């Protein structure tokens, strides 16, 4: 299949315009837990709070620290509940944060460098307290352009400098752009923002051929990372000269979908066409977030635990698929593929005809791209079969949930029955 550059530009520009007004995961009201304040408040004291709070969030927005963006949100909200206002913003001793962080049930879901979260949060508070004199909005007015403020941030906060500078630019996007961002630093112009170099944005840029470096090696060289960021920003400016950071969040969403895929023009085009197809059916942007700490049942938690233990990347409730007269949000979509089809794992205690009908519709509609494996209690599988709830058109396979570890091991090693199609 030949993919022209014009095709990609058109599809990507349309995707950005469709998804640019989506609220950032860090303050999306649809997600839980909820923020303890209104980030869009017109009150100046509340605006100061928001500027400080989201600098804390941006400073740890690193997969090596928190694993997934949603975990940064979860962590900050829990710390806010624990310490309250203004104490959350006054703590400058890392151990006070760390003593609380290690108590949380999602602690093990955080990134491999989670031990630096506490010192980073403390460093932010020290910066705001002593450099910004507790008012980041007023402090920002000392600098002519966003890049000047970014340089000051990165000089003062270790884990926002060098190869981690993209976190400072993410923060500036939040502070400068209009709603759904927060526009707290009104003196700056969106046209002066750089697009943060996140792994998701880099995946799209590599697919487009804008940059040649690979992930994660792109971040090994600060100069290479800066050049890549500038190339992405230059591309964005050609499309949206007055607001290049407009592409940041849409590319974040698209880059998540591309994770673990072969990064090239054809793969990117297929992803964009897939989202366009779903958007036409639902008449709304397709945005769903991974919620690693909100599993609904013990079996879901156990499935997630086994997938993480065996280092199989997955998304949990990452996308809702439109169906004729219905919709379906799979529990686990694995990055592993069999014969070009992604694997869907669906743990269930119970099954009924309505659910089996939904799965059958999903298989009919999306079976060429996804393989659906239902995980059911072993002693109930024959029961559901006898009552014609588990007919051949419902799914690709049924597996005893008690032996999910064996299934995941077979998937990882490639020993899973290749005849299951």
């Amino acid at each position: 299949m030949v993919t022209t550059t014009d095709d990609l530009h058109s599809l990507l520009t349309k995707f950005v315009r469709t998804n640019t007004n989506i609220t950032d995961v860090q303050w999306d009201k649809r997600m839980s837990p909820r923020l303890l304040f209104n980030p869009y408040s017109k009150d100046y004291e509340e605006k100061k709070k928001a500027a400080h709070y989201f600098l804390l969030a941006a400073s740890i927005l690193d997969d090596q620290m928190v694993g997934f963006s949603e975990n940064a949100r979860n962590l900050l909200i829990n710390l806010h509940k624990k310490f309250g206002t203004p104490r959350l913003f006054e703590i400058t001793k890392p151990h006070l944060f760390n003593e609380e962080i290690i108590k949380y049930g999602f602690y093990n879901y955080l990134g491999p460098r989670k031990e630096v979260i506490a010192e980073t949060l403390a460093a932010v508070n020290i910066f705001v307290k002593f450099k910004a004199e507790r008012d980041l909005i007023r402090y920002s007015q000392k600098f002519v352009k966003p890049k000047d403020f970014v340089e000051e941030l990165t000089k003062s906060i270790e884990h926002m400098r060098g190869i981690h500078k993209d976190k400072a630019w993410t923060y500036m996007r939040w502070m400068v752009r209009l709603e759904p961002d927060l526009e707290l630093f009104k003196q700056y112009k969106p046209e002066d923002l750089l697009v943060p170099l996140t792994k998701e944005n880099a995946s799209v840029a590599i697919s487009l051929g804008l940059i040649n470096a690979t992930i994660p090696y792109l971040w090994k060289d600060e100069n290479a990372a800066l050049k890549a960021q500038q190339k992405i920003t230059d591309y964005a400016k050609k499309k949206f000269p007055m607001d290049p950071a407009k592409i940041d969040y849409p590319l974040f969403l698209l880059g998540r979908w591309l994770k673990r895929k072969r990064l090239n023009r054809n793969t990117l085009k297929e992803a964009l066409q897939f989202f366009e197809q779903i958007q036409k059916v639902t008449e709304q942007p397709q945005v769903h977030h991974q919620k690693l700490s909100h599993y609904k049942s013990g079996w879901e938690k156990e499935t997630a635990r086994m997938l993480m233990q065996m280092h199989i990347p997955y998304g949990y409730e990452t996308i809702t698929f439109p169906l004729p007269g219905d919709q379906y949000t799979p529990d686990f979509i694995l990055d592993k593929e069999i014969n070009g089809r992604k694997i869907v794992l669906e743990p269930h205690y119970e099954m009924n005809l309505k659910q089996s009908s939904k799965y059958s519709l999903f298989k009919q509609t999306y079976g060429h791209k996804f393989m659906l494996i239902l995980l059911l209690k072993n002693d109930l599988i024959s029961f559901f079969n006898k009552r014609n709830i588990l007919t051949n058109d419902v799914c690709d396979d049924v597996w005893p949930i008690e032996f999910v570890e064996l299934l995941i091991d077979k998937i990882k090693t490639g020993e899973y029955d290749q005849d299951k199609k």
Side-chain angles (χ1 to χ4, degrees):
M1 178 175 63
V2 177
T3 302
T4 68
T5 303
D6 288 344
D7 287 341
L8 271 183
H9 289 338
S10 177
L11 284 168
L12 186 58
T13 300
K14 186 175 182 179
F15 181 84
V16 170
R17 286 175 174 153
T18 300
N19 291 279
T20 193
N21 291 322
I22 295 166
T23 305
D24 196 282
V25 64
Q26 299 306 324
W27 60 87
D28 189 338
K29 291 181 179 179
R30 299 169 300 174
M31 295 184 64
S32 61
R34 299 291 183 89
L35 293 181
L36 305 184
F37 64 97
N38 176 12
Y40 297 113
S41 173
K42 302 301 182 184
D43 179 77
Y44 188 75
E45 290 301 314
E46 289 295 292
K47 289 182 178 182
K48 283 168 52 179
K49 181 192 297 183
H52 190 161
Y53 184 91
F54 290 113
L55 181 55
L56 290 169
S59 72
I60 61 173
L61 205 57
D62 183 329
D63 59 356
Q64 292 293 303
M65 288 190 188
V66 295
F68 288 92
S69 301
E70 292 77 2
N71 286 341
R73 172 193 173 115
N74 207 3
L75 184 66
L76 260 295
I77 291 174
N78 276 279
L79 289 173
H80 196 188
K81 287 179 180 176
K82 169 64 180 179
F83 295 115
T85 305
R87 191 172 176 228
L88 172 68
F89 303 133
E90 294 293 328
I91 294 173
T92 56
K93 295 180 179 179
H95 74 89
L96 295 177
F97 281 126
N98 197 54
E99 287 170 1
E100 192 62 27
I101 292 170
I102 61 177
K103 296 177 184 177
Y104 297 136
F106 57 87
Y107 181 74
N108 290 330
Y109 296 129
L110 300 176
R113 298 197 65 212
K114 50 183 169 280
E115 73 279 356
V116 302
I117 292 175
E119 65 182 73
T120 302
L121 295 176
V124 169
N125 282 348
I126 290 170
F127 173 79
V128 177
K129 183 175 182 179
F130 296 106
K131 279 271 184 127
E133 298 178 329
R134 296 186 172 87
D135 189 340
L136 283 163
I137 298 175
R138 185 175 61 187
Y139 182 71
S140 71
Q141 296 167 1
K142 294 183 177 183
F143 305 96
V144 177
K145 291 193 173 183
K147 67 177 182 179
D148 304 317
F149 193 13
V150 165
E151 290 304 316
E152 190 63 30
L153 277 175
T154 57
K155 281 193 299 185
S156 302
I157 304 169
E158 179 182 354
H159 293 288
M160 294 185 80
R161 71 176 64 133
I163 60 173
H164 304 295
K165 191 179 283 189
D166 63 278
K167 294 190 286 185
W169 281 109
T170 296
Y171 177 68
M172 295 308 295
R173 189 203 95 206
W174 295 346
M175 295 297 106
V176 174
R177 293 191 71 248
L178 297 168
E179 192 171 337
D181 291 312
L182 304 177
E183 199 194 6
L184 294 177
F185 299 166
K186 292 180 179 292
Q187 74 277 14
Y188 297 145
K189 297 178 180 179
E191 65 191 76
D192 292 324
L193 293 173
L194 296 186
V195 180
L197 182 67
T198 62
K199 287 182 173 61
E200 292 80 10
N201 290 353
S203 292
V204 179
I206 292 169
S207 300
L208 282 169
L210 297 179
I211 55 180
N212 296 320
T214 57
I215 298 171
Y217 300 104
L218 180 60
W219 285 267
K220 299 292 183 182
D221 183 336
E222 183 179 348
N223 288 330
L226 289 174
K227 288 179 181 177
Q229 182 185 28
Q230 191 60 56
K231 286 183 179 180
I232 296 173
T233 301
D234 290 344
Y235 176 82
K237 283 186 174 180
K238 290 178 182 177
K239 300 292 182 183
F240 309 102
M242 304 307 293
D243 188 10
K246 181 189 191 81
I247 76 168
D248 180 37
Y249 202 58
L251 262 59
F252 166 76
L253 300 170
L254 184 57
R256 276 193 165 186
W257 185 254
L258 294 173
K259 187 178 179 182
R260 307 284 181 181
K261 291 178 179 289
R262 183 169 295 178
L263 301 178
N264 56 45
R265 287 187 174 95
N266 288 337
T267 305
L268 178 58
K269 183 177 181 180
E270 288 173 0
L272 289 166
Q273 289 174 330
F274 175 74
F275 282 110
E276 184 179 48
Q277 176 190 1
I278 292 180
Q279 194 272 334
K280 284 179 180 177
V281 175
T282 61
E283 297 183 350
Q284 59 184 336
Q286 272 301 305
V287 183
H288 290 265
H289 306 290
Q290 289 168 317
K291 300 177 280 294
L292 295 186
S293 54
H294 294 287
Y295 302 113
K296 300 181 183 68
S297 71
W299 285 124
E300 289 185 4
K301 290 179 182 178
E302 178 62 16
T303 302
R305 188 184 71 81
M306 293 308 309
L307 289 169
M308 285 186 287
Q309 182 175 310
M310 296 191 185
H311 304 288
I312 296 180
Y314 67 92
Y316 174 72
E317 294 189 345
T318 52
I319 189 167
T320 294
F321 293 89
L323 301 171
D326 207 339
Q327 60 182 20
Y328 168 49
T329 305
D331 283 341
F332 297 93
I333 300 180
L334 279 53
D335 283 349
K336 283 276 190 179
E337 294 185 357
I338 294 179
N339 296 331
R341 302 161 71 203
K342 278 187 174 291
I343 300 170
V344 173
L345 300 182
E346 188 70 39
H348 257 296
Y349 278 111
E350 300 289 343
M351 277 280 292
N352 55 45
L353 288 172
K354 182 178 180 180
Q355 289 169 328
S356 66
S357 175
K358 179 183 292 189
Y359 299 143
S360 179
L361 285 173
F362 175 75
K363 185 181 176 185
Q364 292 173 36
T365 310
Y366 302 100
H368 62 295
K369 288 287 187 181
F370 297 90
M371 172 184 290
L372 176 59
I373 303 176
L374 296 181
L375 304 175
L376 301 171
K377 289 188 70 177
N378 193 32
D379 58 355
L380 290 177
I381 292 175
S382 60
F383 174 84
F384 295 138
N385 276 322
K386 289 176 182 177
R387 281 155 180 78
N388 290 322
I389 293 175
L390 285 177
T391 53
N392 290 334
D393 64 337
V394 170
C395 61
D396 294 278
D397 195 10
V398 179
W399 195 274
I401 199 165
E402 294 90 342
F403 304 110
V404 65
E405 180 177 359
L406 178 60
L407 169 65
I408 293 172
D409 182 65
K410 285 182 176 291
I411 290 172
K412 180 177 181 179
T413 59
E415 296 177 3
Y416 180 74
D417 187 0
Q418 294 295 304
D419 292 330
K420 301 291 185 183
K421 297 180 180 179

